[in-house]
C-alpha cells in the first residue's frame, strides 16, 4: 500500500512524501502539495502511484523533524468542499435511532431508522445503476479542515463537541468535470450531537463544525473491512474507548453509490475543486452519555493507516454578528 503525506519543513518549505507498505517516508521531488501531484496525474492521464514511481530520486524523510499537514488542501480554501453522508454503517441506525428517540418515545419508526432501512434495501445497486440516495450534509470549506494535532474548536454557541471516527474519500475534479478519487483518509467528522438530538431538523446546524483528517492519504482501493479504535483522553487518562468498523463490508451503502449521489450535482463538478466526503460511522461516544470538554483529546486509529487522527478540543471565539446595511 502507498500513502501520501504533506509536510512543512523547519525552514517553512512545503513538500510531499510517500510511505510504502508502512516503511519509512520518502520525499516526492518536484511538488509542494498533494493537489499539485494529482493535477499532474490528471493532466498526463496517469496515476498518482505511477508519478511517485517515476520520481525515484526522493530522499528519506524523518517525520519527527517536520510539521505534518492535512493530506489534502487547496491554495484557495473556498475551492475545497467538505461534505458527508450518514446512516451508512450497519451499526449507525441503532446509535442514531437511540439518539432521536430521546426526544419522543413514539412507537413508530424514527426517520433515521427508515432511512437506514432504505439503504439496506437499495444502497448497493448493480453496476451502472443508481441506488437509493443517502442522508447528505454540507460541512464547510477548506478553512474548516484542521491540521494534525491542531485543536478542533467548538463555537461558543455549541451544545456539544463530539467525535465521529470515519473514512473520507478525497477527490479532484478534472478539467472535463469528472471526479477523480485520489484516495482515502482516516477522519474525525467533529459534530454537535446534542443540537441534533434536540431536533433532527437541526442536523445541518450540528454539522457546521471543523473536521480533522489523519496525515495519510491512502492510495488505491479501500480495504473492504477496517477495524479501528476511537478513544478520548482527559488529563492524560483514557475516559472512553471503543472499537469501530468501516469499509464496505460493514456498510449498508456501496461507496460508489455514495459518490454518485454527491457528484450527480453539477455544482460539485467544477474543474480544479477538491472534495473531502465523509462516509459515516456507527460509533459515537455521545451515545454512551460521554460529554466532552475543552482540552479533551480525540484519538482515532485504524490499520492500514499507520498514523492516528489526534486532535484536542479547543474553544472558538464568541461571534459578534451585527449585520450592516449598504
Amino acid at each position: 500500500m502507498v500513502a501520501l503525506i504533506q509536510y512543512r519543513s523547519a525552514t517553512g518549505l512545503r513538500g510531499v512524501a510517500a510511505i510504502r507498505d508502512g516503511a519509512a517516508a520518502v520525499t516526492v521531488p518536484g511538488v509542494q502539495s498533494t493537489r499539485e501531484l494529482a493535477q499532474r496525474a490528471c493532466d498526463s492521464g496517469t496515476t498518482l502511484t505511477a508519478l511517485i514511481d517515476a520520481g525515484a530520486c526522493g530522499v528519506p524523510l524523518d517525520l519527527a523533524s517536520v510539521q505534518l499537514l492535512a493530506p489534502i488542501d487547496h491554495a484557495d480554501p473556498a475551492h475545497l468542499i467538505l461534505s458527508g453522508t450518514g446512516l451508512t454503517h450497519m451499526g449507525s441506525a441503532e446509535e442514531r435511532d437511540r439518539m432521536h428517540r430521546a426526544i419522543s418515545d413514539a412507537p413508530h419508526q424514527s426517520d433515521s431508522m427508515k432511512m437506514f432501512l432504505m439503504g439496506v434495501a437499495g444502497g448497493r445497486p448493480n453496476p451502472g445503476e443508481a441506488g437509493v440516495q443517502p442522508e447528505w450534509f454540507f460541512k464547510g470549506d477548506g478553512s474548516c479542515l484542521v491540521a494534525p494535532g491542531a485543536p478542533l474548536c467548538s463555537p461558543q454557541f455549541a451544545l456539544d463537541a463530539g467525535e465521529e471516527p470515519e473514512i473520507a474519500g478525497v477527490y479532484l475534479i478534472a478539467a472535463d468535470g469528472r471526479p477523480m478519487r485520489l484516495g482515502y483518509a482516516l477522519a474525525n467528522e467533529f459534530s454537535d450531537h446534542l443540537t441534533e438530538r434536540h431536533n433532527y431538523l437541526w442536523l445541518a446546524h450540528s454539522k457546521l463544525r471543523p473536521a480533522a483528517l489523519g496525515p495519510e492519504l491512502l492510495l488505491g482501493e479501500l480495504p473492504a473491512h477496517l477495524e479501528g479504535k476511537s478513544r478520548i483522553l482527559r488529563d492524560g487518562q483514557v475516559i472512553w474507548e471503543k472499537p469501530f468498523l468501516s469499509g464496505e463490508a460493514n456498510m449498508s451503502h456501496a461507496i460508489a453509490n455514495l459518490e454518485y449521489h454527491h457528484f450527480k450535482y453539477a455544482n460539485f463538478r467544477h474543474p480544479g475543486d477538491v472534495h473531502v466526503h465523509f462516509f459515516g460511522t456507527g460509533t459515537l461516544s455521545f451515545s454512551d452519555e460521554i460529554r466532552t470538554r475543552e482540552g479533551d483529546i480525540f484519538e482515532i486509529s485504524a490499520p492500514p493507516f499507520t498514523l492516528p487522527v489526534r486532535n484536542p478540543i479547543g474553544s472558538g471565539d464568541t461571534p459578534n454578528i451585527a449585520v450592516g446595511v449598504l
Side-chain angles (χ1 to χ4, degrees):
M1 289 188 172
V2 180
L4 291 179
I5 65 164
Q6 294 192 118
Y7 67 90
R8 181 175 285 110
S9 70
T11 59
L13 297 178
R14 286 182 52 128
V16 178
I19 301 174
R20 192 182 295 273
D21 296 326
V26 177
T27 60
V28 179
V31 292
Q32 295 184 329
S33 72
T34 302
R35 187 177 69 89
E36 181 185 354
L37 187 67
Q39 193 65 62
R40 288 188 185 183
C42 272
D43 294 343
S44 59
T46 186
T47 66
L48 286 166
T49 303
L51 284 184
I52 294 167
D53 291 341
C57 56
V59 297
L61 178 69
D62 178 8
L63 297 184
S65 69
V66 297
Q67 176 190 0
L68 296 179
L69 307 174
I72 188 68
D73 56 9
H74 197 292
D76 182 353
H79 287 278
L80 191 156
I81 296 173
L82 302 177
S83 58
T85 57
L87 296 166
T88 54
H89 284 62
M90 300 309 289
S92 59
E94 180 182 354
E95 298 279 345
R96 293 282 288 279
D97 193 51
R98 189 174 2 152
M99 198 160 70
H100 297 157
R101 283 188 183 278
I103 309 170
S104 172
D105 195 22
H108 60 274
Q109 287 180 345
S110 67
D111 287 341
S112 59
M113 183 60 76
K114 291 177 183 177
M115 182 163 284
F116 172 76
L117 293 175
M118 288 171 61
V120 172
R124 293 177 174 270
N126 294 322
E129 298 178 358
V132 66
Q133 61 187 358
E135 175 191 63
W136 181 96
F137 59 86
F138 172 70
K139 189 150 186 75
D141 62 18
S143 66
C144 301
L145 192 58
V146 307
L152 287 161
C153 290
S154 184
Q156 294 293 324
F157 55 79
L159 302 180
D160 175 56
E163 87 299 332
E164 295 206 13
E166 305 194 15
I167 301 297
V170 176
Y171 308 84
L172 175 68
I173 309 302
D176 62 359
R178 182 183 179 188
M180 305 297 292
R181 189 195 316 118
L182 281 60
Y184 301 90
L186 193 59
N188 183 352
E189 194 267 292
F190 188 58
S191 298
D192 184 344
H193 302 106
L194 191 55
T195 289
E196 179 188 352
R197 190 172 74 174
H198 275 306
N199 191 314
Y200 185 65
L201 296 179
W202 286 347
L203 172 71
H205 290 276
S206 75
K207 294 298 186 180
L208 292 173
R209 301 291 186 271
L213 300 180
E216 296 160 286
L217 178 65
L218 188 68
L219 306 186
E221 294 301 322
L222 186 72
H225 176 78
L226 282 86
E227 297 183 30
K229 181 182 295 184
S230 180
R231 63 181 191 167
I232 301 173
L233 295 89
R234 178 176 295 164
D235 300 325
Q237 302 296 317
V238 176
I239 64 166
W240 178 86
E241 183 176 308
K242 203 166 188 177
F244 71 92
L245 300 176
S246 194
E248 282 196 339
N250 301 295
M251 297 171 64
S252 53
H253 284 262
I255 288 176
N257 192 52
L258 303 180
E259 293 173 331
Y260 168 77
H261 284 294
H262 177 64
F263 290 113
K264 68 184 180 182
Y265 298 103
N267 54 320
F268 293 152
R269 300 195 305 273
H270 293 305
D273 281 3
V274 170
H275 288 254
V276 176
H277 195 61
F278 299 91
F279 293 139
T281 187
T283 303
L284 306 172
S285 66
F286 182 84
S287 298
D288 292 336
E289 301 302 324
I290 299 297
R291 298 298 176 264
T292 61
R293 65 190 189 199
E294 187 177 354
D296 288 352
I297 296 174
F298 297 121
E299 186 176 88
I300 299 166
S301 58
F305 298 94
T306 60
L307 301 171
V309 187
R310 197 173 196 272
N311 301 84
I313 300 176
S315 179
D317 296 332
T318 302
N320 181 17
I321 307 300
V323 178
V325 178
L326 294 177

